[in-house]
Amino acid sequence: MNMDVIVSLCKRRGFIFQSSEIYGGTGSCWDYGPLGVELKNNIKRAWWRDFVQQRDDMVGLDASILMHAMVWKASGHVDHFTDPMVDCRECKHRFRADQIDEMPWTHFCAATKGNKFTIPAGEPCGHCGARRTLCPDCGKGDLTAPRQFNLMFKTFMGPVEEDAAVTYLRPETAQGIFVNFDNVLQSMRKKLPFGIAQIGKAFRNEITPGHFIFRVRELEQMEVEYFVNPHERVEGRPADEHAHDRWIEACLAWYIRYGIDAQHLKLHEHGRDELSHYSKRTVDLLYDFPIGWSELMGIANRTDFDLKQHAQASGKTLTYFDEERKEHVVPYVIEPSFGVERAFLAFMLDAYREEEVRGDKRVVLRFQHELAPTKIAVLPLLKKRPEIVATAQGVRATLARDWSTVYDDTAGIGRLYRRQDEVGTPYCVTVDVQTVGDSATGESGDQCVTIRERDSMEQVRVPIPELPGLFRDLLGDRSWSDAVARYPRAKP
Ligand code: GAP
């Protein structure tokens, strides 16, 4: 699957636009259009309901993006949240030193009178056998030695731009949870194990952002910090290790539940050299993106690192009193960290299908119902017939009380169906002459409408008053064939 196909669909159908496009765009920043914001909100809503509201061991939080500068010193971000970068002395392009061998490179080959070639990543020139030593982009400049580059966006709090006023846009939501650990503990009286969840923006000044929304500078995270008592054992194992495995299973199951094919997901266990400075064990969930298997999310065992760091730096006690053992403990933390952009991209990619229908190509996004930006489209068969338009508008208004519903009369019915398929709308409702009858001939209508299901394209005829009940079933947990068994089929 080519990423360009999704990028083009996202722009054409109002999912994602480039930020500040009329000024030439802002590198790696994206704006979510009318359908994109619905999909993004649906992802976040499903996540919050499943991981916070439905679990009695979880609570939520919404911490501020700007925090005390000491937070980032104590967490290690000021000293360690860096990537090694190299600069081209000629074109001034900047690269991540650890990614430079994974890029195709430009070569002016002496063996072919200086002809210019683009050579695949890691391979030598087929003519002269040379390997890349110069800038992969311009092929001419020497590269500087690697230097560490901090990825945090620096800013100033208040009107004076001085060192004492320096702070950072948060690079992860996690720290807002750690510094509120005691506030939540005291106010909510939770017992270990329990988790605090947060959804919010984070900012990283990535050296090489790209691949559409895969690596961006302004991102959104859905994170859980799950606190466990490291002195406890569950099923014969340390409680943190047991909880870590449960969370890995839960994250995998969550993506599959919302429509990702299990074959497009796999786990990657971090080797010793990959582990962050705070981690005892980290497992990434990889997705088969068009750029290859890449990180969709990570699930780390952060141990007691963060709470201890903040306790030491702030002088406050950040412990839990274990009533049974009569001792204060610093909990261990399991951290499932989801990126909203990568979840969005994976759900789009996995939903995308090109099908042939009666000799025509149809593009359809087979979104799981809960994620679909629009649940129902109401389409009048003839927009020149006022009774049809009035009935269709009435149906839209009724259904819109409970579901995101659109009305569209801007094309013929075939085109309208294709448009809704392309944005993943599960159901279309069509109002036609048979619904309203014909006042000129005195023929009365049957007050029934046609419902079309996106994936099978099957259609049934349903009385208007029964629509809310039927959609409650269809957009709830009943299948199409089960829910419509009692209605007559309509011809496609
Ligand atoms: N609190 C832990 C943490 O932030 P991370 O592996 O750096 O860990 C977690 O980030 C997730 O956030 C990633 O798996 C990815 O889904 C998302 N993410 C991180 N950086 C990103 C970026 N520049 N653009 C898009 N998503 C990003």
Side-chain angles (χ1 to χ4, degrees):
M1 169 97 201
N2 188 333
M3 187 84 95
D4 292 343
V5 174
I6 291 294
V7 177
S8 154
L9 173 70
C10 280
K11 173 160 186 181
R12 196 160 26 86
R13 301 311 315 275
F15 283 91
I16 299 181
F17 310 122
Q18 179 153 38
S19 163
S20 317
E21 191 180 348
I22 61 167
Y23 289 103
T26 319
S28 86
C29 294
W30 301 92
D31 296 342
Y32 289 78
L35 296 190
V37 66
E38 294 292 342
L39 173 56
K40 206 176 185 210
N41 283 343
N42 291 343
I43 294 169
K44 291 190 281 183
R45 199 176 295 121
W47 188 91
W48 192 262
R49 192 204 45 226
D50 296 344
F51 289 122
V52 184
Q53 293 172 333
Q54 291 192 345
R55 294 179 59 136
D56 67 359
D57 58 348
M58 293 288 304
V59 291
L61 182 79
D62 185 13
S64 66
I65 288 173
L66 295 173
M67 301 172 74
H68 197 290
M70 275 303 293
V71 170
W72 307 111
K73 187 76 192 148
S75 68
H77 283 83
V78 169
D79 296 323
H80 300 294
F81 195 57
T82 55
D83 274 341
M85 51 142 212
V86 291
D87 290 304
C88 171
R89 294 187 204 277
E90 187 79 22
C91 68
K92 309 296 176 209
H93 209 119
R94 184 164 277 188
F95 306 91
R96 263 180 64 173
D98 55 342
Q99 287 178 352
I100 206 156
D101 288 331
E102 294 158 23
M103 320 169 68
W105 56 287
T106 303
H107 176 53
F108 293 94
C109 177
T112 61
K113 298 187 184 148
N115 280 345
K116 181 179 171 184
F117 298 101
T118 302
I119 299 177
E123 291 184 15
C125 171
H127 302 281
C128 68
R131 292 198 168 265
R132 187 201 59 75
T133 52
L134 302 173
C135 169
D137 227 26
C138 70
K140 291 179 180 157
D142 280 327
L143 298 173
T144 60
R147 280 178 292 156
Q148 291 301 325
F149 172 76
N150 196 293
L151 300 184
M152 284 195 293
F153 278 95
K154 221 182 227 179
T155 187
F156 297 94
M157 192 85 95
V160 187
E161 294 194 3
E162 59 183 11
D163 282 355
V166 164
T167 189
Y168 305 91
L169 301 186
R170 68 180 177 199
E172 61 172 11
T173 61
Q175 298 304 323
I177 296 179
F178 294 126
V179 299
N180 276 296
F181 169 73
D182 198 51
N183 285 334
V184 174
L185 190 63
Q186 299 308 329
S187 58
M188 304 310 287
R189 303 262 142 222
K190 298 301 287 182
K191 295 253 176 290
L192 289 181
F194 74 92
I196 305 177
Q198 175 165 219
I199 299 178
K201 292 258 184 177
F203 302 83
R204 298 180 181 190
N205 201 2
E206 299 281 1
I207 300 169
T208 45
H211 302 303
F212 192 33
I213 54 170
F214 180 82
R215 182 165 288 108
V216 288
R217 293 194 170 113
E218 176 178 337
L219 58 132
E220 211 164 352
Q221 291 185 315
M222 307 186 285
E223 293 198 299
V224 170
E225 306 304 328
Y226 194 75
F227 300 95
V228 295
N229 188 337
H231 300 158
E232 264 171 19
R233 293 184 79 78
V234 182
E235 294 170 10
R237 300 172 59 210
D240 59 307
E241 294 178 12
H242 180 268
H244 198 176
D245 283 341
R246 294 290 81 77
W247 273 105
I248 294 167
E249 289 161 11
C251 294
L252 196 57
W254 190 81
Y255 275 104
I256 293 169
R257 172 175 174 191
Y258 288 98
I260 303 279
D261 183 339
Q263 308 228 338
H264 298 159
L265 295 168
K266 70 178 179 191
L267 298 175
H268 165 69
E269 187 86 35
H270 277 217
R272 280 188 177 282
D273 52 333
E274 281 177 279
L275 284 179
S276 307
H277 57 280
Y278 51 70
S279 176
K280 169 174 165 184
R281 178 189 175 210
T282 294
V283 174
D284 285 343
L285 185 50
L286 307 186
Y287 177 75
D288 192 5
F289 286 101
I291 52 172
W293 286 99
S294 309
E295 180 183 335
L296 178 60
M297 65 167 300
I299 307 127
N301 182 341
R302 291 181 81 125
T303 66
D304 53 9
F305 174 84
D306 300 271
L307 290 178
K308 277 190 170 159
Q309 287 292 109
H310 288 302
Q312 196 180 21
S314 66
K316 298 284 187 300
T317 305
L318 297 177
T319 54
Y320 172 87
F321 187 66
D322 180 347
E323 298 281 356
E324 216 173 287
R325 294 179 182 78
K326 303 285 177 230
E327 62 179 7
H328 289 274
V329 291
V330 183
Y332 266 36
V333 176
I334 305 303
E335 180 195 64
S337 177
F338 294 67
V340 177
E341 286 74 14
R342 291 189 193 176
F344 186 113
L345 190 54
F347 285 127
M348 285 291 289
L349 288 161
D350 238 69
Y352 186 89
R353 305 274 193 293
E354 289 178 7
E355 299 171 353
E356 198 183 302
V357 180
R358 290 185 287 277
D360 282 339
K361 182 175 116 177
R362 126 171 144 133
V363 170
V364 57
L365 289 178
R366 290 184 177 236
F367 283 133
Q368 194 270 358
H369 288 175
E370 228 173 305
L371 299 190
T374 307
K375 308 290 186 249
I376 307 162
V378 182
L379 315 171
L381 200 69
L382 296 171
K383 68 174 173 184
K384 289 195 181 121
R385 287 282 297 272
E387 318 90 277
I388 292 183
V389 170
T391 303
Q393 291 280 21
V395 167
R396 190 210 67 83
T398 304
L399 299 178
R401 285 185 207 135
D402 293 302
W403 301 284
S404 59
T405 308
V406 297
Y407 173 90
D408 192 2
D409 64 4
T410 57
I413 193 68
R415 284 268 297 280
L416 293 180
Y417 281 154
R418 290 290 178 271
R419 273 190 208 160
Q420 294 304 327
D421 290 344
E422 209 184 8
V423 298
T425 305
Y427 299 106
C428 291
V429 173
T430 309
V431 180
D432 54 24
V433 179
Q434 213 186 323
T435 314
V436 297
D438 189 346
S439 52
T441 61
E443 196 185 319
S444 61
D446 64 3
Q447 291 300 306
C448 289
V449 291
T450 299
I451 300 183
R452 173 186 180 270
E453 197 263 341
R454 178 193 66 201
D455 298 346
S456 64
M457 293 181 287
E458 285 173 4
Q459 304 184 1
V460 291
R461 204 72 193 157
V462 177
I464 291 174
E466 295 181 25
L467 289 177
L470 178 58
F471 279 122
R472 206 151 288 127
D473 287 345
L474 287 172
L475 294 166
D477 51 13
R478 289 189 70 186
S479 71
W480 165 254
S481 52
D482 186 25
V484 301
R486 64 183 186 277
Y487 296 107
R489 287 290 164 95
K491 279 205 196 97

